[in-house]
Amino acid sequence: EGLEGKYGANRGKLEVSEYLEIGELEKDVEYFQKYRERGTGYANIDEHCKLYPGLYVIGAVSSLGKTTFMHQMADQLAQNGERVLYVSYEQSRFELISKGLSRLTYLQSAGKEGVSSLQIRAGATGASIKSAITTYKEFGKNEVIIEADFDYTIDGLLELVKSEVAEGRQPIVIIDYLQVIAPSKDKYGKVMNTKEHIDNVVKRLKSMQRDYGLVVFLISSLNRQNYMTQIDFESFKESGGIEYTADVVYGMQLAVMKSDTFKKDYGLNDKREAVRKAKAENPRKIELVCLKNRYSAPGYSCWFKYYAKYDLFEVDEEGERAEEIKKV
């Protein structure tokens, strides 16, 4: 049972003494403790913080792999028995599932018989694909992909989650992505401007998450002017509310952003060339920076190797060790 019944009845005015006397503290502690061992499936992230109920935001520049990263997380959560709703505005169910199959062909063959998602979409067959399909079917019953139209507003998203909760489920919700959710109208019937709309979406998602005691992931794009600088809160596009409303905020960037090219006074052309080379690497080196975390100390980084051909993120052990050495 989630928190929706309690919060639905008692949101708003409640004396502290009453909260303590009627056993609400014990109920909240019991509920929160259920998630002490719940993780994302990415070992380095899970070492820093477990997956507690809250609103999580992850931002990255275009083409860096944020959809692949979150879809892989969705698969990992589903494999662990979690119910996952993946709301996709841009990529189709076919595209996402072919990514998952490609990833499985690589993992199950230890990289020897990996088949790219593009090959799968083009009709490739073989034993590795057949094996991947069998595996995907086993945990795929826990994962639902919703192809959202571009006129699908925050109201539609909230109704979708509400219907899941009404059926006795508590899904982990992943929304891909913030900036393409259709704008709503304000109380006067006027369509909100971009910043009003983004802040409205973030606040309503947080309210929904709190009401039902859910884990909600929201993918966000970043400001173009921050493409050549290290990620921070200013990088998030038209979304000042994220810094204050979200429980956890992650930023994804190329590892090269920590190099001397970006630390020193290099020219824009040098930085662009460094980014171009970093994107061409196989695998790409990616840093996930925790900018805010209400459940642990923020400021940590997690390092990954991104095999774009097979839509796979792996923990970068070398990067993790180098980060630990810096702390000593």
Side-chain angles (χ1 to χ4, degrees), residues 157-259:
L157 285 172
L158 297 182
E159 284 300 317
L160 173 70
V161 176
K162 184 178 179 179
S163 67
E164 280 278 311
V165 174
E167 293 176 4
R169 303 189 184 100
Q170 278 203 295
I172 292 175
V173 182
I174 300 173
I175 302 167
D176 187 7
Y177 62 99
L178 172 60
Q179 282 75 18
V180 292
I181 297 174
S184 304
K185 295 181 180 179
D186 62 21
K187 60 183 180 181
Y188 304 107
K190 181 181 178 181
V191 176
M192 298 179 184
N193 64 39
T194 301
K195 189 177 187 310
E196 290 173 339
H197 163 59
I198 294 298
D199 285 348
N200 176 60
V201 168
V202 173
K203 289 175 182 177
R204 293 186 67 186
L205 284 175
K206 176 56 188 174
S207 293
M208 178 269 291
Q209 176 278 313
R210 183 178 58 185
D211 287 350
Y212 301 142
L214 303 178
V215 171
V216 178
F217 277 95
L218 180 61
I219 301 175
S220 175
S221 61
L222 300 181
N223 286 314
R224 286 193 175 275
Q225 57 263 38
N226 291 104
Y227 278 25
M228 295 296 161
T229 60
Q230 291 190 36
I231 196 163
D232 57 23
F233 281 116
E234 293 180 358
S235 305
F236 286 82
K237 182 181 293 184
E238 296 289 344
S239 49
I242 285 177
E243 180 177 357
Y244 308 104
T245 307
D247 297 289
V248 180
V249 181
Y250 287 117
M252 183 184 290
Q253 63 186 9
L254 291 165
V256 74
M257 303 301 289
K258 290 288 184 71
S259 69

Side-chain angles (χ1 to χ4, degrees), residues 1-7 31 34-35 170 211-213:
E1 182 181 356
L3 299 178
E4 66 276 4
K6 177 173 74 64
Y7 279 176
Y31 182 80
K34 291 195 302 183
Y35 298 96
Q170 278 203 295
D211 287 350
Y212 301 142

Side-chain angles (χ1 to χ4, degrees), residues 44-45 48-49 230-233 247-251 253 258 287-303 320 323-324 326-327:
N44 48 358
I45 296 177
H48 288 282
C49 184
Q230 291 190 36
I231 196 163
D232 57 23
F233 281 116
D247 297 289
V248 180
V249 181
Y250 287 117
Q253 63 186 9
K258 290 288 184 71
E287 179 189 15
L288 186 75
V289 183
C290 181
L291 299 171
K292 176 184 178 181
N293 197 325
R294 284 184 175 147
Y295 309 118
S296 71
Y300 59 85
S301 291
C302 296
W303 301 83
E320 291 289 324
E323 185 71 4
E324 287 300 316
K326 289 180 183 178
K327 295 177 182 178

Side-chain angles (χ1 to χ4, degrees), residues 87-98:
V87 184
S88 176
Y89 276 83
E90 289 197 323
Q91 297 202 17
S92 69
R93 187 177 295 112
F94 176 48
E95 289 175 298
L96 292 172
I97 292 176
S98 64

Side-chain angles (χ1 to χ4, degrees), residues 25 38 52 58 67 174 197 218 251 261 271 300 309 314:
L25 173 64
R38 182 196 242 179
Y52 293 109
I58 178 168
T67 289
I174 300 173
H197 163 59
L218 180 61
T261 304
K271 293 179 179 180
Y300 59 85
K309 182 177 181 180
E314 286 186 345

